[in-house]
Amino acid sequence: MQLRKINILFIGMACSLLSSCHDLNLQPLSEASSETWFTNSAQVEMALNTLYLHQFWPMFKCDWGETAIMSLDEASDDWMNRTTLVPFTNGTLTGNNSTFLKNTWSYSYKAISRANTILENIDQTKDNISTEYYERYIADARFVRACMYSRLISRFGDVVYYSENMKLEDAYKTGRTDKTEILAHIYDDFDYAAEKLPTEYGSTETKRATKGAAYAMKARIAIFFEDYATARDAAMNCMQLGVYGLYADFGELFKSKTKNSIETVFGIPRDIAYDSAIPPNGVKPYLSRNVTSPSATAQPSWDLFCSFLCTDGKTIDESPLYKPNAPFENRDPRCSYTIVAFNSNYFGFNYTAHPDSAKCWNYTSAQYVTNKDSKAGDQYASYNGLMLRKGIDEDWNDDFYANNDKLIMRYADVLLMYAEAKIELNDIDQSVLDAMNQVRARAYKVKYTSTDYPHITQTDQDELRRILRIERRMEFAFEGIRYDDIIRWKIAETVMNRPNYGLPTSVADCKKLVSSGLWFFGGIPKIDENGCPDFSQMANISRYRILSKRVFDASKNYLWPIPTSELLINPNLGNNPNY
């Protein structure tokens, strides 16, 4: 199989860079070294490789060498962490109280400066390399720069823009550039990258950005800013390359053993040998207490759980197949691929949150053991009874270092972006249905031309929009995508102002739910026009517990505040409204 993704398995000198991935003072990237660096192709490639260090493509705070697990998922309605909220979800976000926010700004600009340094100095090698590679290196640096500016304007709106590194005194007084102007520069960079980057790499080449990655990342930023025609065309260009496809098994796709998948348009590998694995502090919070007590704290929300369709393609409030007392039955397969189904084997334990299950079966030792995943066995068991399965891999070593690939752009996203852009343009044709059905059929492990899954056949724009939004939520849960979706759809002010629900505090109260026939859910929540559950009107919801009350202020929270440390250095930046 040919390689299709960024696959930075550094060799020689580059290995030392990756093994030191938390040291940002690397020679080829320091301003002082530019006069002695960039004298040959190997040095340019080494500098380009550092643009793909994990710090510049974070999914967790631990990608920045920190101990907390904060990711963008935590700022969305897919996530719950006991009764705890973060500044993104409790209405207290400022430019000074979120390390995740500050690092998003600083690391994005570090990568931009490094890309600019390469672009400013690459002429030193022009006489020593072919025109093809000279242009490819430029395209690679411009691709990364475009990705970084895409991140910045989607989070902060107007930001400082520079395509040549500034002197320090200029950096202290430069104001922000309108995001629409920056978006035009981003498009230019992605267009150049798409023209000059290879579609695929040879087996002996270092794998970085590709033509398909440039098209796909352009589509992502275009659709964020509702430039649907550009998003449609960029996604279609990626599709027409003919080098990507959907991996056959959704559940296996996210495991550490699945490397270099045909579905990965843009990804970065992890390898414990090069110190790039997710460390235990980024893994254990997602595992059950039977596996890793006492670390387990992060779980999928009831909001996410209730958003998965039934096998007839209907929402749980519309489908006769949905069973509140057996909520995993008759659900879209991605439900149990994402969330651990009750009474299934999870890391060698029978997973059940049932309050009568003080013991559970240990498949490894073939005996009953204390069930720490039920409040009957541990008062700190999952507060809502759910546990994440997606990406959780029992092949991880005993120290819980995770080598799962970092999937930044999947082909499934390309297909759904194409479909969404066409829906929003009200240009609905068979290609829209085909794109959506390909993604859905893969979940059922059948061909999209099969009749063994719930086909999408609707052509009404409003209906398709709702289906598309549900499809994205089922497909991309816990991949860091949900946050951007609720922000660009302007529904965060609705979904992020709904409470996070869970189980009662005591075992006795949980058992009352069982005796009254209300376990696991006491009713069926209404699913709104965006495919999101509203528990407020659900029957017997008062018997359950509000774990936290999320807060989202639409007057300001669609943008992040500028980091306070940056405002102190450069007052000309100004802050975003109402911060």
Side-chain angles (χ1 to χ4, degrees), residues 181-452:
E181 180 181 336
I182 298 174
L183 183 60
H185 291 302
I186 290 170
Y187 286 169
D188 286 343
D189 278 348
F190 278 139
D191 287 345
Y192 185 89
E195 179 184 355
K196 302 298 183 180
L197 288 173
T199 303
E200 297 182 290
Y201 287 88
S203 59
T204 61
E205 293 180 288
T206 300
K207 286 76 185 174
R208 290 186 296 270
T210 61
K211 192 181 298 292
Y215 284 136
M217 295 303 283
K218 181 182 180 182
R220 177 172 284 176
I221 190 61
I223 209 165
F224 185 91
F225 284 102
E226 300 180 341
D227 183 358
Y228 296 117
T230 297
R232 173 201 60 199
D233 294 345
M236 182 170 60
N237 286 337
C238 182
M239 293 158 62
Q240 290 177 340
L241 292 174
V243 298
Y244 307 109
L246 297 175
Y247 190 74
D249 191 319
F250 182 85
E252 295 293 307
L253 174 61
F254 306 96
K255 294 187 176 181
S256 58
K257 66 182 180 183
T258 305
K259 302 291 185 183
N260 197 36
S261 159
I262 191 174
E263 188 164 344
T264 307
V265 179
F266 178 28
I268 300 177
R270 298 185 188 272
D271 195 318
I272 192 170
Y274 296 134
D275 195 29
S276 61
I278 306 174
N281 63 276
V283 170
K284 289 185 176 182
Y286 295 93
L287 303 179
S288 81
R289 295 184 74 81
N290 276 334
V291 178
T292 184
S293 182
S295 299
T297 56
Q299 281 87 41
S301 66
W302 281 8
D303 304 69
L304 172 63
F305 184 45
C306 290
S307 296
F308 286 92
L309 300 176
C310 292
T311 52
D312 56 4
K314 296 180 180 180
T315 54
I316 62 172
D317 62 335
E318 297 173 343
S319 174
L321 300 179
Y322 180 65
K323 302 177 182 179
N325 302 116
F328 282 94
E329 292 184 16
N330 305 320
R331 304 293 293 278
D332 184 291
R334 286 167 291 191
C335 183
S336 57
Y337 283 140
T338 302
I339 302 172
V340 181
F342 299 149
N343 295 309
S344 64
N345 187 335
Y346 177 81
F347 274 81
F349 295 90
N350 182 65
Y351 181 80
T352 177
H354 200 289
D356 287 338
S357 299
K359 300 284 185 178
C360 70
W361 185 253
N362 184 320
Y363 293 94
T364 304
S365 62
Q367 60 181 336
Y368 283 100
V369 297
T370 299
N371 182 15
K372 297 179 181 179
D373 292 327
S374 164
K375 289 186 180 296
D378 190 322
Q379 63 175 319
Y380 298 111
S382 172
Y383 280 30
N384 68 358
L386 301 181
M387 191 60 55
L388 181 67
R389 180 177 288 281
K390 188 175 186 178
I392 304 299
D393 198 332
E394 296 182 22
D395 290 339
W396 292 341
N397 65 26
D398 293 338
D399 294 326
F400 293 106
Y401 280 89
N403 288 316
N404 308 59
D405 280 355
K406 183 181 288 186
L407 301 178
I408 298 169
M409 175 65 71
R410 295 198 281 120
Y411 188 57
D413 203 353
V414 176
L415 291 172
L416 292 184
M417 286 191 294
Y418 171 78
E420 180 178 353
K422 297 261 288 180
I423 291 168
E424 294 303 330
L425 291 167
N426 205 13
D427 180 20
I428 298 167
D429 57 18
Q430 189 61 42
S431 70
V432 172
L433 301 181
D434 287 347
M436 295 174 69
N437 280 324
Q438 285 181 62
V439 175
R440 180 173 290 187
R442 186 268 299 275
Y444 286 81
K445 297 183 180 180
V446 298
K447 294 181 178 180
Y448 80 97
T449 55
S450 166
T451 59
D452 295 331

